[in-house]
Amino acid sequence: MSENENQKVDHHLKSRRTFLKNSGLTVGGIVLGGAVANLLGVNTGGSSEHVHTSPQEPVSYPNEALMFFTMDQYRLTAAAAERIFPKDELGPGAIELNVAIYIDHQLASPWGANVKDYMQGPFYSPDQLQGTQLRLLRKDLFLLGLEGLDKYSNKKFKKNFIELEVNEQDEVLTDFESGEKYKLSGISSSHFFSMLRTLTIEGAYADPLYGGNKEMKGWKMRKYPGSYMSYTNDIQSNSFVEKKPQSLNSHMGH
Amino acid sequence: MSTKLPKVPVVIVGMGWAGGIIASELTKAGLKVVGLERGKARSTQDYSMGHDELRFQHRTELMQDLSKETITSRNNSKTRALPMRHYGTFIVGDGIGGAGSHWNGQTYRFLPYDFEIKTLTEKRYGKNKIKKGYTVQDWGMTYDELEPYYDTFEKMAGISGETVELYGKRSNPYPTGPMLKTPIMEEFEKATKKLGYKPYILPSGNLSENYTNPDGISRSACQYCAYCENFGCEYGAKADPVVTVIPVAKQTGNLDLRTHSNVTKIVNDGQKATGVIYVNTLTGEEFEQPAEVVVIASYVFNNVRLLLNSNLGKPYDPQTGAGAVGKNYAYQISAGGSTLFFDNKEFNLYGGAGALGIEIAEFTGDNFDHTNENFIHGAGIRTTQYGDRPIAVNRVPNGTASWGSEFKKQSIKYANSTFPVKIQGASLPHQQNYLDLDPTYKDAYGMPLLRMTYDYTEQDKEMVKYMSKVTRNIAENIGPDHIETSEEQAPFNVNKDTNTHNTGGVIMGADPQTSAVNSYLQMWDAENVFVAGASAFPHNSCFNPTGTLGALSYRAAEGIIRYMKDGGSLV
Ligand SMILES: Cc1cc2nc3c(=O)[nH]c(=O)nc-3n(C[C@H](O)[C@H](O)[C@H](O)COP(=O)(O)OP(=O)(O)OC[C@H]3O[C@@H](n4cnc5c(N)ncnc54)[C@H](O)[C@@H]3O)c2cc1C
Ligand code: SF4
C-alpha cells in the first residue's frame, strides 16, 4: 500500500469513525473494522473508493459472514477479543484480524459441539489437577459467557459490555478471568475467559483458511512465514531471514 | 453376537511402530498375519495440507478420538479418578502408523545402566540407595543382548546421529550422519564445551540425507519444515511405519490389514488365548478373529486395559505389590528447564525439525556420582529446535500479563528470540503409581476405561532441583538478556504436563512373580500372547522411548517366529 493510499484509508476511517460514533456503533471505543461495518450495512464508501485507487483487484472475503452468532453476539465477541489482543503500534488487533469471524466458525464446527471429547457422565467436580469436567458444550458455554459479560457489565457499570470504556472492559474481563466474582449458571466464568483467550490467540495466528489472521497480518507482525515446504537453506543462517508469509492456499497447486 | 472368522496364524492388535515392525518381520518370514487397527488408513497424501497448526496440533486431528475412549486419572488412590475429557497431556496415536506418524523422531537407545539398574545401583551405592516404595527392578536382559536389535531398528528407520562415548557400545555407527547445526544449537555447544561437557547432535528419525534401508525403502532428506511434532511428514523424511515397515509387510502379500477395527477383548481360558473380539467402528458389527498367536501392540494404555478387560495375567495390587499387570507405570520428567530471552537477537526459529537439537550426556543415568544425591538416574540436558509455531509458542517473561496489550507486545517482541535449555529426566516406578480399570467410566463399546493413579515422587522432585541448577548454569554461560528457570516439580496435572512418554504396566523381567512378560515380550501366564510396546519397560529412562520399544519389537518378532515353530516358553 502506498503512503497516499494510507492517507486515504485514514481519511475514510475518520469519517467512518464520526459516523459510527454518532450512531453508537463503536465497539469498546474502537472503531469497528470493515467487516463489521459491512455486515451492519454501513456504507462508509471506503471499499469502493479503495477499488478506484488500488491497482489491485478487489479482494472479496465470502467467509466474512456468520454461521453461528447473531450480530449482537458477534459484536460483543469482537469487542472482548480486541481487549485480549488489541490493536497497537505493532499492528492489527483482534477486530482487524477477523478473530470474531474465526470464533464464530469454530463454534459452528464439530469442535464447538465437543464431538471428539469424552462426554459420558457422571460429571463430578474435579480437583485442581484433574482437568475440566463440564457437561456443557463449548458453543453453549461461549454464549453463556457472552450473556454473562453483559449482565456483569450492567451490574457493575450499568451498561452493556460494548458501551464501556476500555479500562472498564478490562476490569470486567479481569473479574471473569479470576472466576471468583461472577458465576455463569453455576459455572466459573474463568472457563469462558480461558476459552475466549485461547480462541483469540488462535484466531490471530491460525491459517487464514479458518477465517481469522486476515491477510496473514497476524503472522506478519511476528515475522512468521506460515507454510513453506523447506527451510534447509535458511536454518543455519546467523542472521534473521525474513520471508513473505504463505498460507495453505499456496499449496492448492494453482 | 459376533461373527466368527476363519482362524489365522497371527493376529496383531494395533498398527503403530510395535505392531508394524512385528507385522513386517513375520510376513517377511512367510507367516500370514491379520493386522487390526481401530483408526483409519494413512499415506503421505494425507499431509498435503499438513502445515496447519490449528488442525493438527490444537485440534489433534491425528490422535485418538476421545469421544470413544480416554483414560481416567487421579493423583493418588484416595481420590476419585475422573476422565481426561479433552487433550491436555498424553496425546495418543490412532490409525495406521499410530503415534509413529506424528512423533518427533528422537531415536535413542537406553543405557546399559537402565537394563540392570537395581543391580548396578546397589553395587555402587549400597542396598539402601533405592528407597522404600520405589519398585525399581532389572529388565531381565542386558544392553548387549538388545544391541543387535537396536541396530536393526536404526537401519530400518535410517536414524541420523553421532556416536556418544558415554552411552552403550554400538556395533555400527548411525546409518546416516547428524542433522544440521543451527545458531541456537551452536550457542548451546559453545557454552557446554566451555563447561567441559561433550555436546552431541540428537539422534534423529528425520533423515539428515536421502537413504535407502535394508528392506529397499528409499526416503528423502528432511526439509526442516517445522511441521513435525504432532504432524505427518509429506516427504516421508520422518521415519513412520506408514513409509517403512507397513509397505514392506503389505508387499509380501501376507498381511491382511483391517482398519476401523477396535479390539475389545482377548478370548482366552486363562492359559492361552484363542483369538480376539473386535468391533467395526463404522458399522458396529462385531467379529471374533481366532488366531494361534495374539500380539497386543495397542500402546501402553490399551495394552494394559485389554489384558485387564480380558482377565489375562495377574492384576497389580498396590497394597501388597503382588501381580504385574498395571505395575510400574512411569512417565517422564520435564520440569527444571531454563528459558533464555534475547532482547536484540532474532533466530530463525520458524524452521526446525522434530528431532533437531543438541544435548549433553554427562547427567544421564549413572554417568555422574549420586553418592550425595537423594535420587538416582538422571536427565539429558538439551536445546531443541522443533520450529516455534505462533499459536503454541508465546513465551513471555514471568510477570507478564497473560492477555491484553502487554501480552501482545511481549509475545511479539520475543517471537523469534527465546529458546530453551531443557531436561528430559528418567522416571522411576513407585508402588503407588499404577494402572488399573476404572470402576465407573466406560468406552464407546461398554468396556471399562483405564484408570491411572500417578504423581511425581520425591525422587523426581530431588532430580528436578538438581537439574535446574545445571540448566541455569548452561543458560548463564550462553548469556542471554534474561533467564527463567523452573526450579521445582509441581504436582502432576493432567491438563498441563504434556508428554507422550508413558511406560510400564506390562513389564518385562526374568521373574514371573514380578514381571508380566519375558524378554521376548511373551506373557508368562499365556505363552501365545505377546505384548509389545513401552508397556514392557520396568522404568522409563531419560530418553524418548521408541528406539527401545522398536528394538524390543524386533526381538519379539524373532521370538514369535520361533514360537510358531517350537511352541512353549522362549526363555
Ligand atoms: C507428539 C508426539 C511426539 C513424540 N515424539 C517422540 C520422539 O521424538 N521420540 C520417541 O522415541 N517417541 C516419541 N513419541 C512417542 C512415540 O510416538 C511412541 O512411543 C510410539 O509411536 C509408540 O508406538 P506403539 O506402536 O507402541 O504405539 P502407537 O503408535 O500408539 O500404536 C498403537 C496403535 O494401536 C491402535 N489401537 C489402540 N487400541 C486399539 C484397539 N483396542 N484395537 C485396535 N487398535 C488399537 C492405535 O490406534 C494405534 O494405531 C512421541 C509421541 C507423540 C504423540
Ligand atoms: S521437519 Fe523434516 S521430517 Fe519433520 S515433517 Fe518436516 S520434512 Fe518431515
Side-chain angles (χ1 to χ4, degrees), chain A residues 23 37 88 94 102 129 194:
Chain A
S23 51
D88 60 12
Y102 166 82
L129 306 164
S194 104

Side-chain angles (χ1 to χ4, degrees), chain A residues 50-51 54-60:
Chain A
H50 188 73
V51 175
S54 166
Q56 290 168 342
E57 283 289 295
V59 189
S60 85

Side-chain angles (χ1 to χ4, degrees), chain B residues 373-386:
Chain B
E373 309 309 333
N374 282 320
F375 65 93
I376 60 168
H377 217 307
I381 309 285
R382 53 214 212 126
T383 282
T384 53
Q385 186 168 348
Y386 303 156

Side-chain angles (χ1 to χ4, degrees), chain B residues 74-77 133-135 316-318 325-331 333 427-436 451-460 492 503-505 538:
Chain B
R74 55 181 181 172
N75 286 53
N76 62 64
S77 54
Y134 292 89
T135 45
Y316 173 66
D317 178 348
V325 180
K327 180 182 168 177
N328 280 23
Y329 169 73
Y331 192 40
I333 307 307
S427 171
L428 297 185
H430 191 278
Q431 196 171 344
Q432 295 304 328
N433 287 336
Y434 61 96
L435 306 170
D436 65 357
R451 175 170 70 177
M452 172 188 294
T453 306
Y454 179 79
D455 210 339
Y456 298 111
T457 61
E458 281 310 306
Q459 140 89 24
D460 301 333
F492 175 73
T503 63

Side-chain angles (χ1 to χ4, degrees), chain B residues 14 17-18 37-38 94-95 98-99 104-106 261 263 302 500 544 546:
Chain B
W17 272 128
E37 166 55 50
R38 68 179 171 188
D94 192 81
N104 291 46
Q106 301 171 19
S261 302
V263 174
N302 273 350
T500 50
N544 311 57
T546 308

